[in-house]
Each structure stands twice: as structure tokens, then as C-alpha cells.
Amino acid sequence: MSRVVLAGAGEELVLRVKQATDGDVSVLPPGRLPGDPARLFEQLVDGELPDVLLIGPHAPAPEVLTLAARLDVQSPGIAVVLMADPSPEMWQAAMRAGIRDLLPPDADVPEIHAAVERAARAAAGRRRVLRPVSETERYAGRVITIASPKGGVGKTTVSTNLAIGLTAAAPQSTVLVDLDVQFGDVASALGLTPEYTLPDAVRGPASEDTMVLKTFLTQHPSGLYAVCGSESPAAGDTVTGEDVTRLLASLAREFRYVVVDTAPGLSEQTLAALDRASDVVMLTSMDVPGVRGLRKELDVLRELAMIPAGRHVVMNFADPKGGLSVRDVELAIGTGVDVVLPRSASVPASTNQGVPLIRSGRRRDPMVKELTRLVSRFSATPLKAPRGRAKHRAAG
């Protein structure tokens, strides 16, 4: 059965669409239709992308056309059907935006059913063309790359807590990759002593067989898997962008979530991770140098067309006494801030103990609350509050 999502519809249309799809439809809540596909699909309960997006007449045409055009580029395996006045002008605009079909708002149940079926067949055909059958048979996980132009902004703290949070929602289905090839410290932040590291995972048998690759991963007591950073800068420098691309592709076929902690700036390896990402978390500290650096990095990535559909801006070390407001930061970088992480005295102890804050049992800590909110942007399953402080460090 094709997966259908309905947006911009009143109650009467919802009933017609449910009849046309035998009830197999997800209805998005009323409100403004986001122009960014990632923002739209964050509203889905299970996080699974649809085959058909059916948009009712309550959504303004300009918003629909903008969203459809972006979907056509970013998610061509999703077919859009619009219910609007089928005038010649609207048909022309819809075709240019990549909309598959146009129905009048008063279309009856058989008409809606036929349009959805046509759109679903078209979506399936495009997915077969876009990816070989051998790939579509396997699950393609969500690759979440954490990036920042500068060091010292908390990338590893955010990466490890995000990965631990996603593991709580999807046990045994999350892997964290330490892509700071010279000075990565994911292992330390998680209290791990790895037997194998990043260079081992991209060389020899591990690079050729995903079953072998999984034996090169280090497992955390939470159920999180990790590709830990290299033991020395020299060893890390042997890892190329091509190695990163192959590694992330392999992991995405085996895990639901692949979280990537990168080095500061735009190295060859970071660019490879961004190119493979379905989501990017752009991280900045709440100070002028950090904000200016993020603005420059966003500009470069836009020029390279390397900002994926899922873009999440996170501001760390937020402090109302620092002289900058969230609005100041948004104006400076030219886009909204999605999550604000407060400056927290709990972070140094968490890092030194190798226990991510989300596992520390500090449920009322403002930092933990915001980290949990970040996790919820990716997780379809609500994150349960931790039961208590973890009392041991992992062995490799």
C-alpha cells in the first residue's frame, strides 16, 4: 500500500481522502505549510517519508509551489498532488514546480483514488531509476552530520548526546562516527576503549563487507555503536574523502541513524560527510567570532549546493549576559536558530567522566532538556527520561 500524507485540508476533504485511500493516510496538522521539506516531514509521527504528498486547497499556492519545487530536487521519489483550481495558469505553474497532478478541490472519492494511484506509480518508478534495485531493497539510514567552522563549540558534546538519545529511541540502530581524523575524542567522551579505530574501518575487509565492518565497531553500554577516532594524527591523515563516502554509505544500509562528528572547518573528510548527509546540524557558539564563522560556512555550502534538506541550526553556550540575543544571531547568519543550548556547569564533569548528559539522570537540567529537544527533531519515538546516572565506563 502506498504511503500518503495529506496537508492543507479541511475536515470534509480529510474524510474524502480517507475513503479514497482506505484510511491509509497521515494528516498533517493545520497551519502554514513549510517551504523546507525537512520542516514539513518533522511533523510526521513516525518519521517515514511518503510516496505521495497530497495538498489541499487550504494551503496558499505560492507556499505549495515553493515546497513542490524543493521536493522535486531534494526528494524526487515523492510525488506531489495538488487540489486547486485547475486553470491553465495553475497547470503551468504546477508543471514547472514538478507537481504530478492537479485536482479540483471538489474532486470526488474515485477521482482522488485514481490520482493517488497514478502518483504512487510515478514515485515508485522514479525511485527505481534513482537507485539500483539492490540498494532500494535495503534500508537507507539517516546520516546526520554535525559541523562547525570553529573548534571549541561543543561538536563532540552535541554529537555524543544526540547519538545516545537516538539510541534510546532506536536501540541497536544508531552508530556514531568520529570524523575528526586527527584529534577526535568521541571515545573519551563516551568512556570507550576501542580495539579498532577509523582507519581500520575504511581499510581491508571492513571496507568490502558490511558484516565484517560491524565487527570493527565499538559498542557502548547503551547499545550505541561507534567508529572511534584514530590513535594518532598521522594515522588519521590516511583517511580520504572517498573512504568517508564508502564508509557512510555502508553504515547507512545497516543503521537507522548515522551520526557524524566532524573536525572544525571544511576538510576533505567533512565535505564528504556533508555530501552524504540527509541532515546537517550547523553548530555555533553564542559569540561574534563563532557567529561570523557560521555565516561564512553557510555561504560557502550554499554556493556548493551542499546544504541538505534537513538543516538544523544549533547555538551552544547561550548566555543572556553575553551581549548577544538569539535574534541577533539569526539576523547575522540569515536564518533561524532551531535549538538553543544554555551554558552549563554540568558539561565539563560529563566530559571528564565519559558519561553523556542525557544518560546522567539530570532530567531537570536545562541543558539536558534542550539536548532532548534536539534528539526529538530526528526521532519518531519520544525519548524517555534517563533513570539514573551511569556508574561505569565502557570497556572496549
Side-chain angles (χ1 to χ4, degrees):
M1 179 68 70
S2 301
R3 177 171 168 77
V4 180
V5 169
L6 174 63
E11 293 183 5
E12 194 275 333
L13 178 56
V14 170
L15 291 175
R16 272 185 283 149
V17 173
K18 285 184 176 180
Q19 293 178 44
T21 59
D22 294 326
D24 190 18
V25 58
S26 296
V27 181
L28 296 183
R32 183 176 179 181
L33 196 65
D36 186 339
R39 301 295 181 269
L40 176 72
F41 296 129
E42 280 174 2
Q43 301 175 45
L44 296 176
V45 174
D46 58 8
E48 185 180 350
L49 296 184
D51 302 305
V52 180
L53 174 62
L54 179 60
I55 303 178
H58 287 192
E63 293 179 11
V64 175
L65 296 174
T66 298
L67 175 64
R70 291 180 178 176
L71 276 170
D72 193 46
V73 174
Q74 298 172 0
S75 302
I78 299 173
V80 179
V81 176
L82 173 61
M83 300 189 74
D85 178 27
S87 64
E89 294 79 12
M90 180 54 76
W91 265 113
Q92 187 177 48
M95 291 175 61
R96 288 175 177 171
I99 291 174
R100 173 68 189 177
D101 214 337
L102 196 62
L103 290 176
D106 60 353
D108 58 24
V109 170
E111 289 177 300
I112 296 172
H113 176 80
V116 167
E117 288 296 306
R118 289 194 299 268
R121 287 194 296 270
R126 292 187 75 172
R127 286 194 296 273
R128 283 194 295 270
V129 171
L130 289 168
R131 291 192 295 168
V133 173
S134 60
E135 287 191 20
T136 59
E137 289 173 349
R138 306 193 70 175
Y139 183 81
R142 198 166 178 177
V143 178
I144 306 166
T145 298
I146 289 79
S148 175
K150 296 182 179 294
V153 300
K155 281 193 303 299
T156 299
T157 295
V158 170
S159 299
T160 51
N161 278 278
L162 175 59
I164 289 290
L166 291 173
T167 300
Q172 310 296 320
S173 298
T174 302
V175 62
L176 173 60
V177 181
D178 191 344
L179 210 59
D180 188 339
V181 296
Q182 290 189 326
F183 301 106
D185 52 9
V186 160
S188 175
L190 290 173
L192 297 173
T193 305
E195 182 178 356
Y196 302 103
T197 61
L198 177 64
D200 301 313
V202 299
R203 299 280 186 269
S207 66
E208 300 168 0
D209 188 321
T210 53
M211 295 303 294
V212 175
L213 172 60
K214 294 183 80 169
T215 68
F216 280 70
L217 307 180
T218 304
Q219 190 166 17
H220 187 266
S222 65
L224 170 69
Y225 289 88
V227 178
C228 295
S230 58
E231 295 180 353
S232 71
D237 279 338
T238 65
V239 178
T240 67
E242 289 79 7
D243 291 333
V244 171
T245 298
R246 286 194 301 272
L247 174 64
L248 297 184
S250 296
L251 292 174
R253 288 194 292 269
E254 298 295 329
F255 291 90
R256 182 173 180 180
Y257 298 109
V258 182
V259 180
V260 187
D261 183 23
T262 65
L266 293 173
S267 66
E268 173 190 3
Q269 297 86 358
T270 297
L271 287 172
L274 288 168
D275 188 48
R276 185 71 196 181
S278 56
D279 298 83
V280 59
V281 174
M282 304 299 302
L283 188 62
T284 181
S285 50
M286 196 173 181
D287 53 55
V288 172
V291 172
R292 285 180 174 172
L294 180 58
R295 175 58 187 262
K296 291 177 183 178
E297 185 168 60
L298 283 168
D299 288 343
V300 170
L301 294 177
R302 286 191 187 102
E303 290 176 9
L304 296 174
M306 292 187 69
I307 298 180
R311 186 217 61 207
H312 316 263
V313 177
V314 177
M315 185 172 65
N316 199 9
F317 306 128
D319 187 345
K321 300 178 181 179
L324 287 179
S325 68
V326 174
R327 183 57 179 160
D328 293 332
V329 174
E330 291 178 331
L331 289 172
I333 64 177
T335 190
V337 173
D338 298 300
V339 177
V340 178
L341 302 176
R343 188 177 294 277
S344 173
S346 304
V347 172
S350 166
T351 301
N352 293 335
Q353 294 168 7
V355 180
L357 276 174
I358 279 185
R359 276 177 62 89
S360 69
R362 303 174 185 268
R363 286 177 286 182
R364 296 184 179 181
D365 189 312
M367 180 69 162
V368 174
K369 291 181 179 179
E370 290 304 305
L371 286 169
T372 302
R373 197 161 73 87
L374 175 62
V375 174
S376 70
R377 296 179 69 84
F378 304 95
S379 170
T381 304
L383 181 63
K384 295 180 180 178
R387 295 180 179 178
R389 178 184 295 274
K391 296 183 179 180
H392 61 276
R393 295 169 66 90

